[in-house]
Amino acid sequence: MNNLEYIKERFSQLPTVNEQNGLGVIRQKAFDALNKMGIPTTRHEEWKYTRIGSFFNKEYKYHTAGTFSEADLAPVRLPAYEQANELFYINGHYSPELSVIRSKGLTVQSLQEASKNEYKDIVSKHLGHSSNYLKDGIIALSTAFVQDGVFVHIKKGQIIEHPIYIYNITDARQANVLAQPRTLVYVGENAQVKFVETFNTLGNQESFTNRVIEIVVEKDAITEYYKLQTDASHASQVATTHIQQIGKCVTHTVTVSLNEGLVRNNLNIVLDEEYCEAHLYGIYLQHGQSHIDNHTVVDHAKPHCESNELYKGMLDDQSTGVFNGKIFVRQDAQKTNAYQSNKNVLLSEGASVNTKPQLEIFADDVKCSHGCTIGRLDEESLFYLRSRGITEATAKSLLLHGFAVDILEQIKLAPIREYVDKLISERLEFDLA
Amino acid sequence: MLSIHNLHASIDEKRILKGINLEIKPGEVHAIMGPNGSGKSTLASVLAGREDYTVTDGSVTFNGKDLLELSPEERAGEGLFLAFQYPVEIPGLSTTNFIKTAVNEVRKYRGEEALDAVAFLKLMKEKMAMTNIDQTLLSRSLNEGFSGGEKKRNEVFQMAMLQPKLAILDETDSGLDIDAIRIVANGVNKLRSKDNAVLLVTHYQRLLDYIVPDVIHVLYNGQIVKSGPKELALELEERGYDFIKEQFKAEA
Ligand SMILES: Nc1ncnc2c1ncn2[C@@H]1O[C@H](COP(=O)(O)OP(=O)(O)OP(=O)(O)O)[C@@H](O)[C@H]1O
Ligand SMILES: [Mg+2]
């Protein structure tokens, strides 16, 4: 039995599938979509360069969460966690026992619950909104199992001082694991919040994570979202972040990918109200056989919005990269400002990257620009540094670190910025030694 | 200190240096002048170890070592310094961080301990004062958005920090205002000692008013076609390079 059949069997065993209110309907719809579309192959336009089929030809167990000691968790914890709200997902399941909620105005509960209580309108309106933008079986697969998901609510007017750290942990100590952590976040009017998400696999078996987080941001709210991907070579993931800006608000995202395995990121930003602002940054360092695919969509649905996107990458060894940046400017969205840039440095003959901007503009009074570059390390600069006594390896690492600096500066949480800076420096030192 | 013997170098099959001979002893200051495109920067680059150039013939020894066998960073470790005609801009690397790395890598090459933060700061303060360079400039990305003059001053500051045995200055005076030229000259003169040497590439007599060279060489068409005392600069200023070019043609 391949994994997809196993997944389908599991689906039919779950009781809530027949539930007519709550999550039942949305799950059944997603399951039908999954059956229709299947897992995307490279024949799918959006999956041309990223192959995930093999993960579904293997045996992956859906649930096999073991028990955790503090010592197991210590290495995955982010710096300054003592001052953070911490949400733990183990193999895709939210763990209230491990999680720590420190801030007032922050509510975390299961989506099942939220779909029935005072939040049910939010849930029914926004859960699964990402599937309007992502038309493939992988997002359907997540939604089909959405009953394990979590709802995060930030109360109107609340400034959440403590950042929210989300740990996606897969416990692959015993067997291969498939994990589908799912979250719906609602950031109320005038609220401010910062998220940091990480992915870690424990143990030596394989893991495949299909992560979906949908974030709805209300008017006058400010949301920062940092995604850190440092997982091992036997860990692969599709990580979807779908942000809907439904009031005049600001979002700021930085995606840091130092993964060893395969990563596909979907980042969708829907600017659904006038005068919204979105900043999207990314940095990826790839080596060995690793693969990074950043698919981004910025949808300018309303006038007077601004989006600013800059992704930078360095690829060494046999690693491969994909950048696909879509910008839609709808007919309505006059006075749009949209900028996009993707810059790549290839560090070896074997590394490669495919970069493709895709602008679809239906309004006439807009300012849009895009650009992409693929280059090598600048020889002039290298010689300049070496002529000052700096060894070739150090010189390269200084240049590449310099290349990453403007993205690093976009991480406004100091302990996280310093942490990522250190990870990048260590990676460069290792790669260039 | 430096002996260049029959040095030939080319780039992409194009012959640029065609048999350079030059001998620099400790304590000496040599100036190289010559028309545009004659090969002055090429000579400086070959000495500093730029890999685009292929040395096709000849030899260079630096304090007894075969210079051409050393990597650029090893040459710096041995005490060679090149102030670039066109310093490179490096975004995202602070000048201070860069110079600190350079100082300590050179120290490491020489088997010396890295400078601690206090000692480094002290050295930096001293050299900043000497080269009249501002803290705000040093906290910016290396040369990024620096004015032409600021870049050149930064080169002299780096030289002062690294205290080389042989400093090669490639048109460090070009594009400088009069005060800045004095600062550059002051930096060079401070470095000057019985153990150190300087090779100045310049187009102007003016710098040589402040840094008096022991010898002036004229480089033309990849060769040193004339050498003489400091008065040669005055003659060149007056007569231009035509008489040298003609002489060269006559000989050829
Ligand atoms: N990469 C290259 N490819 C082809 N030719 C080159 C290259 N680099 C230098 N040259 C040529 O070599 C010759 C010498 O150049 P060089 O820069 O050494 O001259 P220079 O004496 O320093 O001139 P200037 O006074 O203008 O600084 C020039 O004709 C130049 O065009
Ligand atoms: Mg020159």
Side-chain angles (χ1 to χ4, degrees):
Chain A
M1 180 165 70
N2 79 18
N3 222 51
L4 201 52
E5 286 161 26
Y6 159 78
I7 288 164
K8 288 175 182 173
E9 195 175 294
R10 286 223 45 115
F11 181 86
S12 56
Q13 286 164 1
L14 291 166
T16 51
V17 71
N18 295 318
E19 219 176 289
Q20 279 312 299
N21 51 11
L23 303 176
V25 178
I26 181 172
R27 292 190 53 226
Q28 186 60 53
K29 234 176 92 186
F31 187 68
D32 294 343
L34 170 63
N35 276 323
K36 205 172 115 218
M37 294 185 281
I39 297 302
T41 67
T42 51
R43 283 188 300 276
H44 191 300
E45 181 61 27
E46 304 298 332
W47 291 87
K48 214 165 155 184
Y49 304 105
T50 299
R51 227 173 255 281
I52 55 167
S54 66
F55 300 110
F56 292 87
N57 293 328
K58 285 182 201 160
E59 279 271 317
Y60 281 91
K61 284 265 160 47
Y62 193 49
H63 311 258
T64 39
T67 52
F68 288 92
S69 65
E70 273 298 312
D72 291 328
L73 294 181
V76 311
R77 279 212 144 96
L78 290 167
Y81 69 88
E82 303 90 337
Q83 296 302 314
N85 297 289
E86 294 185 288
L87 312 188
F88 282 90
Y89 285 90
I90 311 295
N91 292 357
H93 295 268
Y94 179 64
S95 164
E97 298 76 34
L98 295 171
S99 301
V100 185
I101 308 294
R102 290 177 204 277
S103 300
K104 266 201 327 203
L106 167 63
T107 306
V108 180
Q109 55 182 232
S110 80
L111 266 172
Q112 297 239 45
E113 229 182 307
S115 68
K116 291 170 192 149
N117 63 20
E118 69 212 88
Y119 300 124
K120 72 167 188 278
D121 289 345
I122 294 177
V123 173
S124 69
K125 193 163 173 199
H126 299 291
L127 184 67
H129 192 267
S130 52
S131 57
N132 297 336
Y133 290 81
L134 304 166
K135 307 223 176 281
D136 59 47
I138 198 83
I139 190 91
L141 175 61
S142 168
T143 308
F145 288 87
V146 78
Q147 82 283 350
D148 297 324
V150 164
F151 178 64
V152 176
H153 186 268
I154 318 292
K155 205 174 142 191
K156 184 175 168 174
Q158 203 79 40
I159 294 173
I160 307 289
E161 300 279 0
H162 306 289
I164 301 174
Y165 291 175
I166 304 175
Y167 302 99
N168 297 288
I169 295 174
T170 38
D171 179 7
R173 289 176 294 190
Q174 305 299 331
N176 291 351
V177 175
L178 168 68
Q180 301 208 85
R182 179 82 186 227
T183 314
L184 174 66
V185 178
Y186 183 86
V187 184
E189 258 180 65
N190 246 313
Q192 292 181 22
V193 62
K194 301 174 165 73
F195 294 95
V196 185
E197 240 200 305
T198 65
F199 300 82
N200 287 283
T201 296
L202 304 182
N204 297 319
Q205 307 299 316
E206 293 182 34
S207 75
F208 182 78
T209 300
N210 182 21
R211 164 66 166 156
V212 176
I213 179 168
E214 296 174 308
I215 305 175
V216 181
V217 188
E218 268 287 5
K219 86 171 198 220
D220 298 325
I222 301 176
T223 303
E224 289 172 36
Y225 170 85
Y226 305 106
K227 176 148 72 176
L228 313 185
Q229 298 168 309
T230 58
D231 214 346
S233 59
H234 51 277
S236 296
Q237 58 174 289
V238 177
T240 299
T241 304
H242 181 82
I243 300 178
Q244 228 186 321
Q245 301 187 215
I246 60 170
K248 167 187 175 286
C249 64
V250 179
T251 63
H252 182 97
T253 64
V254 183
T255 304
V256 178
S257 309
L258 293 107
N259 50 291
E260 306 280 349
L262 174 147
V263 166
R264 159 64 175 258
N265 285 314
N266 297 308
L267 174 61
N268 307 332
I269 314 258
V270 185
L271 303 169
D272 224 353
E273 190 47 77
E274 290 187 35
Y275 297 100
C276 280
E277 217 181 282
H279 304 273
L280 309 67
Y281 299 94
I283 181 84
Y284 42 97
L285 277 77
Q286 301 288 304
H287 65 183
Q289 305 286 325
S290 72
H291 177 80
I292 178 72
D293 177 348
N294 279 300
H295 264 66
T296 67
V297 175
V298 179
D299 187 3
H300 282 265
K302 294 281 157 64
H304 298 286
C305 293
E306 182 180 329
S307 68
N308 202 344
E309 176 171 15
L310 174 60
Y311 273 68
K312 285 183 160 187
M314 314 168 207
L315 299 103
D316 201 356
D317 303 330
Q318 307 297 313
S319 63
T320 46
V322 180
F323 176 82
N324 184 294
K326 284 196 188 62
I327 298 177
F328 297 110
V329 181
R330 308 286 175 188
Q331 200 167 1
D332 234 18
Q334 302 296 355
K335 305 283 179 195
T336 286
N337 280 317
Y339 304 101
Q340 181 192 85
S341 166
N342 173 232
K343 297 182 174 160
N344 298 282
V345 181
L346 298 181
L347 299 170
S348 71
E349 291 298 325
S352 65
V353 65
N354 273 289
T355 170
K356 182 177 170 195
Q358 230 175 307
L359 274 58
E360 294 185 29
I361 301 172
F362 303 100
D364 41 36
D365 187 10
V366 301
K367 276 192 196 132
C368 281
S369 76
H370 66 89
C372 52
T373 59
I374 302 173
R376 301 210 170 255
L377 215 51
D378 181 43
E379 289 293 332
E380 283 279 319
S381 307
L382 201 55
F383 175 62
Y384 187 71
L385 297 189
R386 292 177 71 192
S387 79
R388 298 311 185 233
I390 299 172
T391 56
E392 190 173 0
T394 307
K396 282 184 179 171
S397 123
L398 288 176
L399 288 178
L400 291 170
H401 185 272
F403 177 69
V405 155
D406 53 352
I407 305 293
L408 271 171
E409 281 168 355
Q410 295 300 333
I411 304 177
K412 296 185 211 169
L413 269 171
I416 300 298
R417 182 178 58 246
E418 285 154 21
Y419 172 67
V420 172
D421 195 345
K422 192 164 150 263
L423 289 179
I424 288 178
S425 300
E426 283 170 3
R427 167 64 74 85
L428 290 173
E429 220 166 274
F430 174 85
D431 280 356
L432 301 168
Chain B
M1 170 175 281
L2 181 78
S3 14
I4 304 176
H5 180 69
N6 191 32
L7 184 66
H8 285 71
S10 51
I11 187 161
D12 303 335
E13 313 280 292
K14 183 178 170 185
R15 293 172 62 221
I16 299 173
L17 300 184
K18 303 169 184 170
I20 303 269
N21 292 294
L22 183 64
E23 188 75 35
I24 301 179
K25 297 199 171 60
E28 289 181 347
V29 173
H30 289 231
I32 292 188
M33 302 182 83
N36 294 131
S38 59
K40 304 180 295 297
S41 294
T42 303
L43 175 62
S45 298
V46 168
L47 293 177
R50 190 191 287 265
E51 279 149 4
D52 316 352
Y53 299 98
T54 320
V55 174
T56 52
D57 201 1
S59 64
V60 182
T61 52
F62 180 56
N63 288 328
K65 292 210 163 111
D66 181 353
L67 191 72
L68 302 176
E69 284 302 306
L70 303 178
S71 67
E73 55 268 36
E74 288 168 333
R75 297 180 197 203
E78 293 293 333
L80 189 106
F81 180 89
L82 169 63
F84 284 59
Q85 183 174 4
Y86 304 109
V88 185
E89 298 196 10
I90 301 185
L93 173 59
S94 89
T95 309
T96 308
N97 187 14
F98 153 71
I99 193 69
K100 189 172 181 177
T101 310
V103 166
N104 283 330
E105 292 247 312
V106 165
R107 292 181 69 89
K108 189 165 143 197
Y109 179 85
R110 295 176 187 162
E112 296 163 3
E113 293 255 314
L115 287 185
D116 62 32
V118 178
F120 176 75
L121 219 69
K122 188 166 163 275
L123 179 69
M124 214 169 80
K125 283 249 164 70
E126 183 194 322
K127 304 303 181 190
M128 276 163 63
M130 188 178 114
T131 50
N132 207 3
I133 210 164
D134 202 60
Q135 177 66 56
T136 51
L137 206 62
L138 298 183
S139 61
R140 281 165 54 183
S141 286
L142 184 54
N143 291 326
E144 199 187 23
F146 285 23
S147 75
E150 285 168 343
K151 283 181 186 164
K152 295 300 177 78
R153 246 185 305 152
N154 188 16
E155 294 292 291
V156 178
F157 167 71
Q158 291 172 35
M159 179 190 77
M161 288 294 288
L162 292 168
Q163 294 166 295
K165 295 197 183 92
L166 173 66
I168 304 168
L169 285 82
D170 191 359
E171 294 197 32
T172 306
D173 54 333
S174 296
L176 289 186
D177 62 42
I178 296 158
D179 291 341
I181 287 185
R182 252 188 238 125
I183 290 163
V184 169
N186 182 36
V188 173
N189 286 328
K190 284 238 168 79
L191 187 80
R192 222 168 158 169
S193 75
K194 66 174 187 9
D195 301 320
N196 295 337
V198 179
L199 181 60
L200 290 175
V201 175
T202 184
H203 282 296
Y204 307 106
Q205 151 67 23
R206 197 171 49 190
L207 181 70
L208 306 180
D209 285 340
Y210 298 105
I211 311 171
V212 182
D214 298 293
V215 201
I216 293 178
H217 308 280
V218 179
L219 188 66
Y220 176 64
N221 193 25
Q223 287 180 321
I224 290 177
V225 293
K226 196 174 175 70
S227 299
K230 63 175 191 294
E231 289 74 23
L232 180 57
L234 288 170
E235 191 185 349
L236 291 170
E237 190 103 346
E238 230 166 81
R239 297 178 61 188
Y241 289 113
D242 281 355
F243 79 99
I244 287 183
K245 289 180 187 171
E246 249 131 61
Q247 205 176 319
F248 179 82
K249 269 187 214 140
E251 281 166 25

